[in-house]
Structure formats: C-alpha cells, structure tokens
Amino acid sequence: MSTTILLTSFQTWLPDHKSNASDDLLLKIQQESNPFPEQAISLAYLRQLPVDVFPASDLAIAEIEHLQPDVVICCGMAESRSRLTVEAGATPLYLVAQVYWLVYYIVLQKIFSFKGLSYYLSAFLGNKINIQTHFLNTSVDLEELLQGLTETEISYDAGKFVCEGLYYQVLSYLRDYSPTTGCIFVHVPLLTPENLSTILTDFRLIISRIAVWAMIQRQNQIRQTTTAA
C-alpha cells in the first residue's frame, strides 16, 4: 500500500524575496522523476500558500480533507537559520502577533471556514494562555526521525508567526478529526550552492523515514482493530 504524503510551502512575503526557500526545496523534490524508487510513496503538493494564517490554514485543511494523506509535511522559510529544523510542536501565541489578521479575516473576507475560525477564537478569547497546556506536540518521534542527519535538528520555537499558525491549526485539526495522520513542520534555511546537496539529502531521508513511520502506524491500527473485533 502506498503512503500518501502532502507537502506544503509558502509564497514570498517581502519585496526583496525572489522565492521562498520552502517552495524552492519542494520544487527540487517535485522535479525528480523518482526520488524514492525503493518505497511506495505518493507525494502530493500544495505549494505557495499565502503568507496569512487564515487562508493558508483553510487551504491546507481543505486539501487534507480531500486527499486524506497519511502524513502532512508543512514547510516554511527561516532566513536566520543555517540548517533544516523540524518543529516539535506549536502554540497559539502566534495570535498575539496576528490580531490584525483576525480583524481582516472577519471583517473583509466574504467567505471563511467556521471550522478553522473556531480554533482561532478558542485560543484568542481565553482568559489566559498557558503555554504548556496549549503546546501541541507532533505525534512523530523526532529523535528517531532525525537520527544521524547532519543538516537537521529539532526546534522548540516555531516562530510565533504564520509558520507556527499554520502548524498549530493543522495539528489542531488532525487531533480532532484525523488523529492517526502524522504532521511535522520543517523550517528551511536559504538554499545556496554550498548547502543544497546536504539539505536535499536530509529532506529526502525525512520523507523516507516518515513514510515508514506512517506504515507502522497503519499496521498498529489494523492490529488494534482486529484485536478489538
């Protein structure tokens, strides 16, 4: 059985950006004819999401509902970092920096997702946000996933901006509607001729290993269902 993996990336958001490193990386993988010849992996792409939590989350969740992937790998650019970083989880603290997006979303958008908005409002309207309580962890074992990789490390700070917002909303959605689907967020540094080869190698290994992780999850679920029956 093939493992379906949805990969997402962002558009640029500053005038001096010619491209977004997350999208550059996905394009490199997409251009390869058969990056995983020894595995049954089906890659689907949702590239160049808008740099805006609300529509980006709506688009990602709609694609997840349509595609029903085994794994979601969200990618974003981190200019200040020099290596790939995989985020351990996300908090709703991006809302502090995104209040104006909430106003924009409610006032100016004619159509929006009430399902997505429910997550934002529940976090935003709380009397006090306890970071530990609201930190949503990925269900993927990152220590095992990244073992031995030379250009990748675990991060515990997803950025408090659109990247963290998207990650938090996707994790929230999967927790409520598809708990067996895995999700990680990968921050991508600026790609250069010097780092491109090693980053591509690590990213391919991340995809390959998370596909194995998803296969094990499916097997465990089948085993549990059979035992329960």
Side-chain angles (χ1 to χ4, degrees), residues 214-227:
M215 180 182 65
I216 293 172
Q217 299 304 304
R218 285 200 304 268
Q219 291 173 345
N220 289 340
Q221 186 179 17
I222 292 171
R223 192 175 300 114
Q224 292 172 2
T225 302
T226 302
T227 302

Side-chain angles (χ1 to χ4, degrees), residues 4-8 42 44-46 60 63-64 67 69 71-74:
T4 301
I5 300 177
L6 173 64
L7 300 107
T8 76
S42 175
Y45 297 87
L46 183 61
E63 187 65 14
I64 292 168
L67 189 63
V71 177
V72 181
I73 301 178
C74 300

